[in-house]
Amino acid sequence: MPIEWLERERQLHLYNDRMSYIMRVLGSGTLAHLYFGPRLATGRDYAHFVRNSYVARFNRVLDPVALELPTAGSGDFRVPGLTVRHADGSTVLDLVYRSHEIHPGKPPLDGLPSTYVEHDAEADTVEICLVDGNSSMRVRLLTTIYADRPVVTRSLRVINEGPTDVKLTTAMSAVLDLPDADWHLLQLTGAWGRETHIVDAPLVAGERGVRSQRGTSGHQQNPFLLLHRPATTEAAGEAIGMSLVYSGNFRAEAEVDAYGTVRARVGLDPETVRWHISAGMDLQIPEAVLVWSDEGIGGVSDAYHRLYRERLASGSWRDRPRPVLVNSWEGVYFDFDEDALVEMASAAKELGAELFVLDDGWFGQRDDDTSSLGDWTVDLRKLPSGLPDLVERINELGLLFGIWIEPEMVSPRSRLFELHPEWAVGFPGRPRSEIRNQYVLDMANREVVDYLERVIGSVLSSAPIAYVKWDHNRVITEPYSTSLPAERQDEFFHRYMLGVYDLYSRLTERFPDILFESCAGGGGRNDPGMLAFAPQVWTSDVTDAVERQHIQYGTSLVYPLVAMGAHVSAVPNHQTGRTTPLDTRAAVAFFGNLGYELDPRALDEVELEAVRAQVAWYKEHRELLHHGRFHRLVSPFEGDGNETAWAVVADDRSAALVGWYRTLSRPLPGPKLLRLRGLDPAARYRVRVWPPADDWVVRANESERGGDELMQQGLFLDDHAWESQRRGDFQARIFELDLVP
Ligand code: DGJ
């Protein structure tokens, strides 16, 4: 049993082979946090980890004592984990331990996505009951440790057992108090088109963190933070990840206090998410996933990749090879008819694609983005014989068919808005911001969710649809739901997310064979909450091969390659105007979930041949790409950012694929080596280079090489001045390594 309870010491020790997480009930009844780190011995009393003599003498909590669920108003002055306002206006919440239960397995959370187990032996959970002696507030704190993963998950349910209502004003899913501040904080920050850029800096006194108040987790910040020691690298050293399984307004931050300790917390954004807990009611708070690793930042990423693809993603597509797709968006945008789509699909089939996706523009009268969202009936001007006929024609080509929807939105120019203006988010009579010419539907209103289930359900059941791209193209402004009373308006943002999760649950249950891909103008809602329903995400609207290196590199901190939609598009690139070689575009997109976002009819013979070869190459390697261990080798966020490199190594180390990318060609680049990681040092590998070429890099590398030398000395990169000059900017190479038996 990996959860030990020492009765006399009142100490809970969660452990597996790699790590320990220790809590303890202080004399006052407060639940203290003692430790999160490498495995410690069981059967021992760790009372001395509580390093505050005041606590020992007076049994009162005072900062900097490390706490599991800190509240405000009783002597702890750091950022809190939970705050309330009682009916009498007071805000003191003195939570003390009442009891606990240890269970094998991991329970699901009511109405919220979470990581899971398939067998009880995979994890153990302790459920701790905390109560406030002066009110009737109770908290059910769930902490789970996985047996074979360096992962602890946290969530809580806040229960009001009293006769009066309580306002929940702060609800963090996890708080992690660490005894020193010698950490760097890494966050994933960006904007539309440059999502998940890495920002990494030492902690200093005060608070630093990320948040969203946009109604989605957002392009700007990801619900994640990582703490690492100054000397930690990708491959070695201590690092801690905190990731939130949530898709709406969140807060993730770290505070260094006056005593040089750290409090990190992740949870609901306290400024925009509050909850009125009526007498006798409760609220489930989302789950946070904590990872500890002494294998560097890469060790944290590896734990998230495995957990999220194996025990967060769910459904029939979780373990299946994901189809190579051609998406119509950048190829034809809104301008198509049935024959054009069938011609595109037929050309896609020739390339080896497996799925044709009809993006925006197929419904209502949508010739541009100014109308029709909400009117989910096929546009007979463009598709006169309807969706079933189109799907049949595409299926006959031997392709699966997929479709784009944006269910949470409504256009002011739509039949739905004429009928139900009150379903759009906003206060009736007050101006509402139109963004991308659209309003947001009030997903906090159950009527809206029921309606969407009906209309989207009827689209999905009208034809054999194999894939759905679920988009969300604007932020939420003027938050207000006509379905909520005044005292519940500050619940809107969370209720919105609960409505989205509800709709996702209903549709994924009803259509278990459909592969869902989530999207929010690219990576505006790329988070673990979405991954629970849609096992892949459209990572970014930017398909430029240079920008994508940054985006995919940053995304890989948390999210597995199999979840990362990565498409090859036409040049000049529609977002940056840059022209990059076709093979470079593919070499970046290979390290993700491959698709083509272009009109395949527009490719010339040479390009057709090249794309056919790319798709064939990818199919041969996708199992390894999607299930191997990902290693980041050279960061585009470091140095002058001119190079990026990464690799995927098979779990049994029998094969590896290495991607190396150079943005600008420079004169006389000098000898360059790329050291690999994760290979078997005693093995020999046959090295091949993709794309095939007759040049120095190929000649220098294509041979049998030892795993040891590939890791200690490395692959040879362009060191030949003339070849570098000949090849020019935006180059990429893929090195394929196969074990020599
Ligand atoms: C934004 C998405 O990210 C694009 O890929 C495309 O689907 C458009 N929306 C369609 O409106």
Side-chain angles (χ1 to χ4, degrees):
M1 172 68 75
I3 300 184
E4 177 192 65
W5 166 245
L6 297 182
E7 179 69 43
R8 198 163 47 88
E9 294 78 7
R10 301 214 293 175
Q11 178 181 291
L12 277 161
H13 183 166
L14 291 72
Y15 63 93
N16 59 28
D17 286 350
R18 292 187 246 183
M19 61 179 208
S20 289
Y21 186 102
I22 306 176
M23 319 176 222
R24 184 185 184 91
V25 183
L26 300 178
S28 57
T30 306
L31 189 63
H33 174 78
L34 297 198
Y35 179 81
F36 183 40
R39 167 71 194 268
L40 296 180
T42 48
R44 295 221 185 121
D45 179 356
Y46 292 106
H48 48 290
F49 285 13
V50 184
R51 298 177 313 160
N52 188 303
S53 56
Y54 196 83
V55 176
R57 278 168 49 222
F58 303 110
N59 260 334
R60 279 301 294 169
V61 169
L62 196 71
D63 53 13
V65 173
L67 300 170
E68 279 298 324
L69 188 56
T71 54
S74 310
D76 181 277
F77 295 100
R78 291 161 287 178
V79 286
L82 196 68
T83 62
V84 298
R85 198 171 59 246
H86 300 284
D88 60 10
S90 78
T91 53
V92 178
L93 186 65
D94 248 334
L95 291 175
V96 294
Y97 168 91
R98 157 86 56 85
S99 61
H100 76 271
E101 283 175 30
I102 297 172
H103 309 281
K106 182 174 190 296
L109 304 184
D110 243 11
L112 286 170
S114 61
T115 57
Y116 58 89
V117 293
E118 284 193 340
H119 308 286
D120 279 353
E122 289 176 24
D124 281 280
T125 299
V126 58
E127 180 181 334
I128 303 172
C129 174
L130 302 168
V131 295
D132 175 28
N134 297 306
S135 71
S136 301
M137 293 305 294
R138 189 156 66 84
V139 172
R140 186 172 157 258
L141 181 65
L142 285 181
T143 311
T144 297
I145 184 157
Y146 276 88
D148 298 321
R149 304 172 190 271
V151 174
V152 165
T153 65
R154 287 276 305 238
S155 64
L156 45 136
R157 185 182 275 275
V158 187
I159 305 154
N160 178 7
E161 290 184 322
T164 50
D165 299 0
V166 169
K167 187 69 114 184
L168 184 62
T169 46
T170 306
M172 289 293 138
S173 305
V175 176
L176 186 62
D177 278 352
L178 298 167
D180 72 81
D182 194 21
W183 296 94
H184 288 217
L185 177 78
L186 183 157
Q187 69 199 53
L188 298 175
T189 285
W192 173 88
R194 47 183 169 82
E195 297 88 342
T196 56
H197 281 217
I198 292 177
V199 175
D200 190 7
L203 284 180
V204 293
E207 292 149 43
R208 199 179 108 219
V210 294
R211 68 173 190 191
S212 170
Q213 301 190 334
R214 293 165 194 264
T216 57
S217 48
H219 297 90
Q220 288 71 15
Q221 313 285 4
N222 206 265
F224 167 74
L225 53 85
L226 181 130
L227 295 165
H228 66 87
R229 294 296 188 186
T232 295
T233 63
E234 270 293 330
E238 198 177 2
I240 293 172
M242 295 178 84
S243 162
L244 187 67
V245 187
Y246 192 59
S247 313
N249 290 359
F250 73 91
R251 176 81 59 98
E253 65 188 349
E255 177 187 8
V256 177
D257 73 354
Y259 307 94
T261 71
V262 174
R263 170 166 294 166
R265 60 174 193 165
V266 295
L268 299 172
D269 175 55
E271 269 167 32
T272 53
V273 182
R274 295 176 168 205
W275 201 270
H276 190 89
I277 311 184
S278 305
M281 302 302 283
D282 58 26
L283 180 71
Q284 176 63 53
I285 309 303
E287 173 172 284
V289 179
L290 275 51
V291 167
W292 176 86
S293 175
D294 59 356
E295 291 174 14
I297 297 170
V300 171
S301 299
D302 184 52
Y304 280 122
H305 290 183
R306 287 172 202 275
L307 180 72
Y308 285 177
R309 70 180 187 231
E310 294 164 6
R311 295 292 181 265
L312 176 62
S314 61
S316 66
W317 279 96
R318 188 189 70 182
D319 303 327
R320 278 160 70 187
R322 303 294 167 77
V324 176
L325 64 83
V326 168
N327 177 301
S328 65
W329 181 240
E330 288 195 16
V332 289
Y333 293 104
F334 296 99
D335 185 14
F336 55 82
D337 60 22
E338 181 172 328
D339 286 341
L341 294 176
V342 174
E343 281 167 25
M344 281 174 86
S346 159
K349 176 70 187 168
E350 286 297 303
L351 299 175
E354 295 154 313
L355 164 68
F356 180 76
V357 179
L358 171 54
D359 209 282
D360 199 349
W362 60 267
F363 52 91
Q365 300 222 330
R366 191 156 161 95
D367 296 329
D368 53 34
D369 63 15
T370 60
S371 83
S372 304
L373 291 168
D375 298 344
W376 298 108
T377 48
V378 76
D379 182 351
L380 294 173
R381 296 169 313 153
K382 291 182 187 173
L383 306 174
S385 21
L387 217 44
D389 265 37
L390 172 69
V391 179
E392 193 180 325
R393 288 179 72 187
I394 286 176
N395 288 165
E396 273 166 8
L397 295 169
L399 286 174
L400 299 170
F401 177 83
I403 201 160
W404 178 95
I405 54 172
E406 196 179 5
E408 300 156 65
M409 300 292 156
V410 64
S411 303
R413 279 210 298 135
S414 66
R415 273 184 287 123
L416 181 65
F417 189 67
E418 269 170 36
L419 278 174
H420 285 292
E422 79 287 5
W423 280 0
V425 171
F427 191 81
R430 268 200 209 147
R432 266 183 282 235
S433 309
E434 254 183 59
I435 300 178
R436 208 199 186 210
N437 306 303
Q438 62 199 56
Y439 297 142
V440 184
L441 283 176
D442 177 8
M443 299 297 286
N445 181 347
R446 202 187 157 96
E447 261 183 45
V448 173
V449 176
D450 291 344
Y451 169 80
L452 289 173
E453 184 195 4
R454 263 199 324 279
V455 292
I456 301 293
S458 79
V459 172
L460 301 186
S461 52
S462 69
I465 289 170
Y467 162 105
V468 166
K469 177 176 171 188
W470 180 321
D471 208 343
H472 175 111
N473 277 300
R474 60 156 285 180
V475 294
I476 299 179
T477 53
E478 297 88 28
Y480 188 89
S481 169
T482 51
S483 70
L484 295 174
E487 73 276 13
R488 291 200 177 273
Q489 287 299 333
D490 47 9
E491 298 172 10
F492 168 76
F493 277 110
H494 186 51
R495 284 188 183 272
Y496 181 94
M497 270 334 301
L498 294 177
V500 173
Y501 290 145
D502 185 17
L503 184 61
Y504 251 116
S505 305
R506 298 189 205 183
L507 293 173
T508 49
E509 267 162 38
R510 185 159 153 211
F511 300 98
D513 293 325
I514 292 183
L515 170 61
F516 283 82
E517 175 156 333
S518 80
C519 172
R525 204 160 61 182
N526 184 1
D527 58 64
M530 281 293 119
L531 217 47
F533 300 99
Q536 58 193 58
V537 183
W538 180 224
T539 317
S540 175
D541 271 351
V542 165
T543 48
D544 173 78
V546 177
E547 285 303 321
R548 269 291 180 139
Q549 290 165 38
H550 294 78
I551 296 167
Q552 292 176 207
Y553 192 95
T555 303
S556 78
L557 260 289
V558 191
Y559 305 100
L561 266 50
V562 67
M564 246 188 252
H567 297 178
V568 173
S569 59
V571 289
N573 181 267
H574 292 196
Q575 298 83 31
T576 62
R578 187 178 289 128
T579 297
T580 54
L582 182 53
D583 281 333
T584 298
R585 283 173 264 155
V588 176
F590 283 164
F591 288 81
N593 212 317
L594 180 67
Y596 288 79
E597 180 114 3
L598 41 69
D599 185 346
R601 297 171 303 176
L603 298 174
D604 65 27
E605 271 313 312
V606 178
E607 291 167 327
L608 283 173
E609 194 49 47
V611 173
R612 265 195 289 271
Q614 292 167 1
V615 174
W617 185 96
Y618 182 77
K619 286 179 181 169
E620 195 185 316
H621 295 101
R622 83 180 133 190
E623 173 60 28
L624 171 56
L625 287 162
H626 290 173
H627 295 104
R629 170 157 181 174
F630 186 68
H631 294 270
R632 287 176 295 268
L633 301 174
V634 178
S635 170
F637 299 103
E638 285 170 15
D640 64 0
N642 200 41
E643 283 178 43
T644 303
W646 50 46
V648 176
V649 180
D651 281 348
D652 64 2
R653 300 188 291 179
S654 63
L657 296 167
V658 183
W660 173 77
Y661 313 89
R662 190 197 56 211
T663 306
L664 296 181
S665 165
R666 291 190 169 139
L668 290 179
K672 254 189 191 309
L673 290 161
L674 177 64
R675 286 214 231 159
L676 306 185
R677 282 204 303 276
L679 303 176
D680 177 354
R684 289 189 71 71
Y685 293 89
R686 185 161 56 98
V687 181
R688 279 175 302 171
V689 185
W690 187 96
D694 177 21
D695 64 18
W696 182 85
V697 172
V698 174
R699 285 191 295 280
N701 288 290
E702 286 204 335
S703 61
E704 274 182 32
R705 313 261 318 263
D708 52 355
E709 57 162 304
L710 286 167
M711 291 192 288
Q712 302 309 333
Q713 174 79 356
L715 292 164
F716 304 107
L717 303 178
D718 284 289
D719 72 343
H720 193 294
W722 307 125
E723 269 174 20
S724 188
Q725 185 190 63
R726 182 166 61 81
R727 294 179 70 83
D729 294 337
F730 315 129
Q731 292 305 310
R733 304 281 188 151
I734 298 217
F735 300 89
E736 299 172 37
L737 277 56
D738 288 292
L739 193 83
V740 180

